DNA sequence: ATAAATAATAATATAGGAAATTTATGAACT
DNA sequence: AGTTCATAAATTTCCTATATTATTATTTAT
């Protein structure tokens, strides 16, 4: 989800771990993040931990209130819909740019990413839930490959942060959307190779909104 | 630019100060941010300062490299164009939502914000450059008021972060765009009261792109 | 002049503790 | 019983001091 830099510090590593733990639900929504226990869990000092939590606060994965400390960002259906709406807006826009400018290297990248995703989807459909994180990673890579030719660093950055928030909601749901999502990915690949941005946008919209409804229908109990 | 919370800590205050100093150009693009000098300047400890710089890094106003420390995010024409493109995308989208849902309170808010902006624009045109920051603040408030009825917290948040990056580029330019921008603001007000989102979007697009070209033509020397 | 070795500088990370604030506990009161 | 208030405990915020590590500048040797 986040690129691994060459020279990363202890803080960078722990940052990625905590961020992933939020996205993949190992740190639950609205969970209080007490410094001392967390410090132990991630093997860093309080100082370093606070730096990390400050970053995550700006990222929107953690909320900080007054001197009450930090907690994991809460979730809600309305927020999910907002996130999905933004993802559609940004990703469709990027798709258009990318399809217009994408060259052969870009196409190759898309095909490669699709292949990986496809294999993992088949494994998921066969019931191998152990590859859940790998599969979601491949999903991320495929969508990123599609928009990779958009030519705007800022757009990619913004899309990444929105995508990860959407992804978090997906990971909070128990079941696998499966065949429908897989078929949509296939359609996206076809549209990409045909450089048909309008078709891709239509599919993507359904793809994302379908994910939202699936997510709300199959959410973990106790969340609202 | 950032709302002042009731219970803010020393860190929050210094964060706002540093952020504003970057946006308003008192901390120059690509300037190295040495911890010790900065610590003195903002009257905080290194620990707190690092927390702040970490937040600003996630915000995109500061870049951190390996263990080489922090520096103010660089600027470039291409980045400005990317930022502007995103602002158009997000703000037009928000405008549409806002115009469709905006009630009488929303209209009143827009009128009020326009009035303040209008007065400050006249002062600027009369040569009172001392109100520069107030004027830009009013500009911010007006644009925020226009989209304030969009009903999406996430969209508002994202727009805010993009707007501030655009604003930074505006503050790096020496001259005032004046009458043209003022006329566009007037058109936006009219479109808002008529709830004509399409017209507003057209004006906004010109408004932003006009700002970009003005900014590039009148940038401070020594920047690229 | 180039490359390797060394010294100086600065950033990262930890520990420990003081001040301030929130949260928990229990007694007194309506 | 439920609320209010005061006190105690826990926690966060913030600082100083210090060790470690990486980068940058300087010197030395080839």
């Amino acid at each position: 989800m986040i690129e691994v830099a060459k020279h990363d510090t202890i803080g960078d590593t722990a940052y990625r771990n905590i961020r992933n733990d939020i996205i993949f639900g190992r740190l639950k929504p609205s969970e209080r993040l007490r410094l001392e226990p967390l410090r132990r869990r991630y093997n860093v000092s309080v100082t370093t931990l606070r730096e990390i939590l400050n970053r995550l606060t700006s990222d929107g994965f953690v909320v900080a209130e007054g001197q009450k400390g930090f907690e994991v960002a809460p979730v809600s259906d309305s927020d999910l819909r907002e996130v999905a709406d933004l993802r559609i807006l940004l990703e469709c826009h990027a798709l258009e740019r990318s399809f217009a400018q994408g060259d052969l290297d870009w196409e190759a990248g898309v095909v490669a990413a699709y292949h990986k995703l496809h294999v993992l989807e088949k494994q998921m459909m066969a019931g191998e839930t152990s590859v859940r994180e790998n599969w979601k990673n491949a999903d991320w890579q495929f969508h990123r490959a599609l928009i990779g030719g958009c030519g705007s660093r800022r757009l990619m950055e913004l899309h990444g942060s929105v995508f990860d928030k959407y992804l978090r909601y997906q990971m909070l749901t128990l079941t696998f959307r499966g065949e429908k999502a897989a078929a949509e990915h296939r359609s996206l690949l076809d549209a990409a190779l045909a450089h048909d941005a309008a078709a891709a946008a239509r599919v993507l919209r359904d793809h994302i909104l379908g994910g939202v409804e699936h997510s709300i229908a199959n959410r973990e109990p106790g969340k609202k």
Side-chain angles (χ1 to χ4, degrees), chain A:
Chain A
M1 241 56 40
I2 301 172
E3 277 140 54
V4 183
K6 287 156 251 173
H7 296 292
D8 51 53
T9 62
I10 291 182
D12 291 334
T13 311
Y15 167 75
R16 270 198 306 280
N17 288 337
I18 297 181
R19 196 177 190 273
N20 280 330
D21 284 353
I22 293 174
I23 292 176
F24 289 103
R26 287 180 289 266
L27 289 170
K28 302 248 154 43
S30 300
E31 180 178 340
R32 294 278 271 108
L33 297 170
R34 291 249 163 63
L35 299 173
E36 195 54 30
L38 220 63
R39 209 219 75 165
R40 279 172 212 290
R41 175 163 169 179
Y42 293 97
N43 273 303
V44 290
S45 68
V46 177
T47 318
T48 308
L49 179 61
R50 284 185 56 84
E51 288 182 14
I52 293 167
L53 293 176
N54 272 288
R55 281 169 75 178
L56 289 167
T57 299
S58 268
D59 288 343
F61 286 110
V62 164
V63 293
E65 240 189 315
Q67 359 240 98
K68 293 202 199 82
F70 302 88
E71 54 188 67
V72 179
V75 294
S76 71
D77 288 354
S78 61
D79 182 61
L80 167 56
R81 287 184 209 280
E82 287 183 17
V83 169
D85 180 61
L86 283 173
R87 191 184 149 197
I88 291 170
L89 182 70
L90 292 170
E91 199 164 325
C92 284
H93 182 73
L95 227 42
E96 214 172 293
R97 298 292 173 94
S98 194
F99 281 29
Q101 298 169 34
D103 57 7
L104 191 58
D105 281 340
W106 169 76
E107 283 184 21
V110 171
V111 171
Y114 177 79
H115 178 71
K116 288 192 194 174
L117 174 60
H118 185 59
V119 169
L120 286 163
E121 273 172 338
K122 279 199 288 192
Q123 292 183 14
M124 282 293 289
M125 288 193 257
E128 287 189 51
T129 50
S130 61
V131 296
R132 214 169 103 105
E133 289 193 20
N134 290 331
W135 157 62
K136 268 297 162 200
N137 232 303
D139 183 59
W140 194 86
Q141 295 290 349
F142 176 62
H143 283 282
R144 295 291 284 185
L146 284 170
I147 64 172
C150 77
S152 170
R153 195 164 277 191
R154 291 276 187 189
L155 178 52
M156 291 297 284
E157 228 176 74
L158 218 54
H159 174 270
S161 85
V162 171
F163 191 102
D164 282 348
K165 288 180 186 70
Y166 180 87
L167 179 54
R168 176 172 172 233
Y169 279 99
Q170 296 294 297
M171 297 313 295
L172 290 172
T173 71
L174 296 169
T175 65
F176 172 53
R177 200 161 147 262
E179 310 206 18
K180 205 150 186 192
E184 286 159 355
H185 285 145
R186 175 78 219 183
S187 301
L188 283 171
L189 173 67
D190 293 340
L193 296 180
H195 290 254
D196 184 348
R202 275 192 304 274
V203 174
L204 183 61
R205 201 188 155 75
D206 289 345
H207 183 64
I208 293 172
L209 293 177
V212 170
E213 295 313 320
H214 178 264
S215 194
I216 290 175
N218 301 79
R219 78 161 87 65
E220 273 191 277
K223 309 281 175 306
K224 70 147 190 283

